[in-house]
Amino acid sequence: MNGASRVAALPLSIAASATPTPSTSPKAGPRRLRVPATMTNMVRAGGYSGDAYAACMKCKVKTGNPGYYRETYFRFDLGAVKVEPARIAKIVLHAHMHVDDSGDVQGRAVAYAMGNDWTSGVTFDTRPALSNKLGEFPPVDESGSWVKLNLTSYLKPKLGGPASVGLAESAGVGVAVGGLSSKTVPYLEITTR
C-alpha cells in the first residue's frame, strides 16, 4: 500500500489423518429446461403442394381428402442443452392445439420420428418421410389447449444436435398447431434428475 509491502508467514500444522466433513449444502434438485422450436413448417397437398408454409403461425395437420392433407414439422436445437444424458429424467413436447374444422368436436395429432433433411422451404412435393409413430397427443376441442407428449426415448439420444418431430393426423379432423410465428411456440421441457 502506498509503495510499501509486508510479508508474513504463519505456521500450518497438518494432522496425520483427516476426516472430511460432509457438506451441509443441499443437493441440487431436479431442474427444468425449456427448449423452444427453432423451426416450424407445414406442407399441404392438392393445389398447394408446391407452396411452402415456413414459420407458420397456425400450422395444421389433417388427413382424409387428399387435396386437404397437411403435415407439420418441428425442429429443436438440442446442441444447446449442456446436460449429461444420464441426468435426463424426461423430455416432453408441449404444443398448443385446437380443432380447426367447424362441426368437429374433437381431434388429435400424432407425432412421428423424422430426419433433419428439411428446410424452411420444404413443400408437400419435397417433404421428408415420416418414420416411426412416437405417440398421440391428448385430444383437443375448438377452444384449444396446451397438450404434451413424452418423447424421452426418442429425443434423449439426439442431445448435442438438432432433432425433428413430424405431426400428422389420422381421423380426418383438421387440427391447428401453434407455430414459430405464433404466441404459442412449441417447446420441449427437459427435466433433470
Side-chain angles (χ1 to χ4, degrees):
M1 180 178 285
N2 296 328
S5 63
R6 294 180 184 248
V7 176
L10 297 174
L12 179 63
S13 58
I14 300 175
S17 63
T19 304
T21 54
S23 171
T24 56
S25 61
K27 289 184 179 179
R31 287 181 27 202
R32 290 189 177 171
L33 311 171
R34 183 180 283 205
V35 180
T38 54
M39 193 182 325
T40 60
N41 208 333
M42 179 186 76
V43 298
R44 183 175 177 180
Y48 303 92
S49 65
D51 295 342
Y53 297 89
C56 44
M57 179 178 291
K58 187 163 75 168
C59 306
K60 296 182 183 181
V61 291
K62 187 173 183 178
T63 188
N65 185 327
Y68 294 102
Y69 183 86
R70 296 178 177 100
E71 290 177 357
T72 289
Y73 315 127
F74 298 154
R75 182 175 295 157
F76 301 92
D77 179 12
L78 293 178
V81 177
K82 306 301 181 191
V83 178
E84 292 294 324
R87 291 195 56 223
I88 302 292
K90 62 182 175 178
I91 305 175
V92 177
L93 171 56
H94 294 249
H96 193 275
M97 302 182 187
H98 70 271
V99 170
D100 197 51
D101 286 352
S102 60
D104 286 322
V105 178
Q106 216 173 59
R108 70 174 70 208
V110 181
Y112 292 88
M114 64 181 294
N116 295 306
D117 54 342
W118 58 281
T119 67
S120 59
V122 69
T123 69
F124 183 84
D125 296 333
T126 62
R127 74 191 189 279
L130 298 180
S131 185
N132 299 333
K133 180 179 175 180
L134 301 173
E136 293 186 7
F137 285 90
V140 293
D141 57 23
E142 286 185 4
S143 61
S145 63
W146 282 97
V147 288
K148 54 189 178 180
L149 184 62
N150 189 328
L151 297 178
T152 307
S153 59
Y154 171 63
L155 294 173
K156 194 172 180 180
K158 300 183 181 302
L159 288 173
S164 295
V165 177
L167 300 185
E169 191 271 337
S170 60
V173 178
V175 175
V177 187
L180 201 62
S181 299
S182 71
K183 295 180 180 178
T184 54
V185 177
Y187 65 92
L188 300 177
E189 184 178 68
I190 302 175
T191 305
T192 65
R193 300 185 195 282

